[in-house]
Amino acid sequence: MRAEGRTVYTEVYKKTPFGARYMDLEVWHKGVNLGGIEAKVGGSRYLPLQKLKDAWLGTQGYPVQLIRKPGNW
């Protein structure tokens, strides 16, 4: 992403009514926040509370994308 001109931050704190949420990655391009990325590896669980926080952030104009690395990779 950086090679394509994006600015990337890691472990970014986001406040939600359901508690703190830390985005694995936050991506910006030309001063515009494009949203967050939640990365999961193998069998890592995407817990209901994480989903709720991410959905709430989405309603606030902050899209969260889930990416998962397959366990057999």
Side-chain angles (χ1 to χ4, degrees), residues 19-63:
R21 180 71 168 108
Y22 288 87
M23 287 290 100
D24 291 326
L25 299 173
E26 182 171 270
V27 183
W28 290 73
H29 184 63
K30 296 183 179 180
V32 176
N33 189 332
L34 301 178
I37 297 174
E38 173 67 15
K40 295 292 183 184
V41 178
S44 296
R45 295 174 23 156
Y46 187 41
L47 301 174
L49 187 55
Q50 290 175 312
K51 293 177 186 180
L52 176 63
K53 292 174 184 180
D54 293 349
W56 184 85
L57 288 167
T59 67
Q60 304 303 300
Y62 184 85

